Amino acid sequence: MAAPEPFDAVDVIRTKRDHGELSDGQIDWVVDAYTRGVVADEQMSALAMAILLNGMTRREIARWTDAMIRTGRRMDWSAVDRPTTDKHSTGGVGDKITLPLAPTVAACGAAVPQLSGRGLGHTGGTLDKLESIPGWRASLSADEMLGVLRDTGAVVCAAGDDLAPADKKLYALRDVTGTVEAIPLIASSIMSKKIAEGTGALVLDVKVGSGAFMKDVGSARELAETMVALGTDAGVRTVALLTNMETPLGLTAGNALEVRESVEVLDGGGPDDVVELTVTLAREMLAAAGISAGKDPADALKDGSAMDVWRRMIAAQGGDPSAPLPAARETHTVLAPADGLLAWLDAYQVGVAAWRLGAGRARKDEDVQAAAGVELHAKPGAVVRAGQPLLTLHTDEPARFDRALEALDGGYVVAPAGSRPDLPPLVIDRIG
Ligand code: URA
């Protein structure tokens, strides 16, 4: 006969519902029992909602994170002869930074083992972007990951099913129960995966603004502080930057479009904000890894060494870095309605438009269109002339244009020339 369970799910739910603190034993049990299927989805939904409404103490969050890590395995990079360092973004529109960043940091002397995800809803996913490169493969065995990391200095691939499996199950449940936005649950979800990934240092890019999970600086700071404390307590040198996500990063949102722009950055060009964020995050990653004397990331982008790592990293996963990227069958251009200054271009609305054009998925099992997305011809602060192209929409299915244009309705404002738009800085704050 199976041993009796030491706790009762209803008691655990009642404790949190009534503003109590969960004990270590309750947390360890409920996370493990949910992963085993002993605690039912409806019970975990009730508990997640109680956590969203009543919060958790730092001790509870740390224990919950640790319990999630213990449902799977921890990766080990001790066979790699360089310090490991990684970056995690909380997700935004046009956020392709991992693509130029990982090879840049590798070119400066660190090893970057990055387990990435796919996009859901209006935010893009790194794996979907890289899969637009002909032949590139996201799934690698642990041995293959180690091989790519040792040979090239960077590996970007999908997390295996055995990395924090509790999070996979709980994240899917939160997605359909209105409980994604709970700071203790976001922090433990992200940090359980990053700690299990085994990186020695971690830089968190916590996005703030319309295109991000955190819409205001106060909640972004709370999330960042919680994650930095979790990482530090687990022995991972962790810092966080709060960065602006009111408007898309760079000039593209969509898979192949973003790969093209990333290659421009690796070639020493590309939009200023993408270059600035890549260089800033790369310097933080190197400093967190204890590498201070080597090449500067800005030089690695200019001298071709970051591009060289990129080409080897893509080829090591079956991709052809020289192959032409997929192009959309149809395009539609949106023109500036008046002379003036582009005062506002909303990240969320551009993200939804790209998603509706086919760049993203509404359900986890859907395919994405590699070439779909939105290309920006101007960024907030630019002077524009009536009739000049403002945005180009790309898709393989022209029936998608109407819904994408609806998503963009009211998403950009051309103000009279001479007005001063209120543009937040790209990097808002640093924590850690
Ligand atoms: N990303 C994650 O991995 N988990 C969350 O809860 C939110 C964003």
Side-chain angles (χ1 to χ4, degrees):
M1 220 172 78
E5 297 291 334
F7 294 94
D8 176 358
V10 180
D11 286 340
V12 178
I13 298 165
R14 282 199 190 111
T15 304
K16 198 33 78 185
R17 180 198 67 188
D18 297 340
H19 301 266
E21 261 197 52
L22 302 179
S23 68
D24 289 352
Q26 282 178 313
I27 291 173
D28 292 351
W29 174 77
V30 81
V31 170
D32 176 61
Y34 177 60
T35 313
R36 286 186 284 122
V38 168
V39 169
D41 275 347
E42 56 271 26
Q43 293 175 312
M44 192 49 121
S45 323
L47 181 58
M49 186 58 81
I51 292 170
L52 181 135
L53 295 173
N54 296 333
M56 275 180 150
T57 63
R58 283 284 162 94
R59 180 198 58 79
E60 288 177 295
I61 301 172
R63 191 74 187 198
W64 187 278
T65 306
D66 196 47
M68 296 226 290
I69 295 169
R70 279 186 278 113
T71 60
R73 76 182 187 108
R74 283 176 92 136
M75 318 272 308
D76 175 13
W77 305 112
S78 51
V80 177
D81 60 2
R82 311 179 187 188
T84 51
T85 185
D86 191 12
K87 179 253 356 177
H88 180 85
S89 157
T90 55
V93 178
D95 184 1
K96 72 273 301 167
I97 297 294
T98 290
L99 278 58
L101 180 65
T104 300
V105 173
C108 295
V112 185
Q114 174 151 127
L115 300 175
S116 290
R118 297 183 187 281
L120 191 67
H122 76 281
T123 63
T126 297
L127 301 181
D128 293 331
K129 294 171 203 197
L130 286 167
E131 277 176 348
S132 65
I133 301 172
W136 189 85
R137 197 161 50 90
S139 294
L140 301 183
S141 68
D143 283 350
E144 285 176 315
M145 277 182 76
L146 184 60
V148 178
L149 189 61
R150 281 169 123 171
D151 292 349
T152 73
V155 60
V156 181
C157 65
D161 287 341
D162 52 359
L163 193 103
D167 178 63
K168 285 204 176 58
K169 205 171 165 190
L170 182 55
Y171 191 84
L173 185 76
R174 287 164 57 211
D175 204 28
V176 294
T177 55
T179 52
V180 168
E181 291 84 354
I183 285 179
L185 297 180
I186 298 178
S188 54
S189 165
I190 292 174
M191 293 308 293
S192 62
K193 288 174 287 200
K194 288 289 142 182
I195 296 168
E197 176 195 89
T199 183
L202 178 65
V203 178
L204 297 158
D205 182 4
V206 179
K207 300 285 183 203
V208 192
S210 81
F213 273 126
M214 299 290 126
K215 307 291 179 200
D216 63 275
V217 173
S219 39
R221 184 170 287 119
E222 186 185 338
L223 175 62
E225 283 169 356
T226 307
M227 293 195 291
V228 168
L230 287 172
T232 307
D233 289 351
V236 180
R237 288 177 304 283
T238 310
V239 295
L241 299 185
L242 306 192
T243 69
N244 173 29
M245 189 29 71
E246 293 292 359
T247 204
L249 254 178
L251 295 168
T252 55
N255 302 311
L257 292 171
E258 293 190 45
V259 173
R260 188 194 72 197
E261 188 168 277
S262 302
V263 172
E264 287 166 12
V265 172
L266 287 160
D267 213 8
D272 290 348
D273 57 347
V274 181
V275 176
E276 182 187 336
L277 195 53
T278 301
V279 170
T280 305
L281 288 167
R283 288 180 182 147
E284 290 284 359
M285 286 170 71
L286 291 163
I291 299 176
S292 54
K295 183 183 293 206
D296 185 69
D299 296 332
L301 289 174
K302 293 280 176 220
D303 69 10
S305 54
M307 177 68 103
D308 183 51
V309 176
W310 161 263
R311 294 180 67 82
R312 287 192 287 120
M313 179 183 115
I314 296 302
Q317 285 171 241
D320 178 354
S322 306
L325 292 164
R329 281 199 278 276
E330 308 284 341
T331 58
H332 175 97
T333 301
V334 176
L335 305 177
D339 285 353
L341 192 98
L342 184 60
W344 174 252
L345 181 55
D346 187 78
Y348 177 71
Q349 288 175 267
V350 172
V352 173
W355 172 33
R356 289 186 180 174
L357 289 164
R361 54 173 73 73
R363 288 194 322 269
K364 283 194 193 309
D365 50 0
E366 270 177 0
D367 285 335
V368 296
Q369 284 183 30
V374 179
E375 197 178 355
L376 280 52
H377 300 292
K379 297 273 282 188
V383 173
V384 296
R385 295 240 156 257
Q388 88 168 57
L390 210 53
L391 304 165
T392 300
L393 315 189
H394 297 243
T395 184
D396 293 334
E397 298 167 84
R400 290 179 177 262
F401 283 134
D402 284 349
R403 296 257 297 136
L405 289 166
E406 262 172 44
L408 288 168
D409 197 25
Y412 49 90
V413 173
V414 177
S419 49
R420 282 174 172 266
D422 185 15
L423 302 176
L426 183 57
V427 178
I428 299 164
D429 205 352
R430 180 184 188 281
I431 286 150

